[in-house]
Amino acid sequence: MALSSDQLSADDWRRIGDALRDLGRALLWQEMDRCLELANRITDALEDEPDAR
């Protein structure tokens, strides 16, 4: 969907771009946190195994 430049000001477009960047960063951090949590769970489970020591 393309919007013509007369519908939004340059400042509006900048705000939209900034908001999209912030959202992208937040989503990236969420996914990274999930990956780290899973890695920690795997490590913890391996340490609980009797033959892992």
Side-chain angles (χ1 to χ4, degrees):
M1 178 175 90
L3 296 175
S4 66
S5 59
D6 61 343
Q7 290 176 303
L8 296 172
S9 70
D11 284 341
D12 291 333
W13 285 112
R14 278 189 211 92
R15 281 193 217 84
I16 291 169
D18 290 344
L20 288 170
R21 281 193 239 0
D22 290 344
L23 179 61
R25 286 183 189 110
L27 292 172
L28 183 64
W29 281 104
Q30 275 183 338
E31 289 302 313
M32 183 181 69
D33 288 344
R34 287 187 188 127
C35 289
L36 292 172
E37 180 183 322
L38 180 56
N40 289 337
R41 286 175 44 202
I42 291 169
T43 301
D44 292 346
L46 287 173
E47 290 173 354
D48 290 342
E49 292 286 323
D51 60 348
R53 295 182 184 135

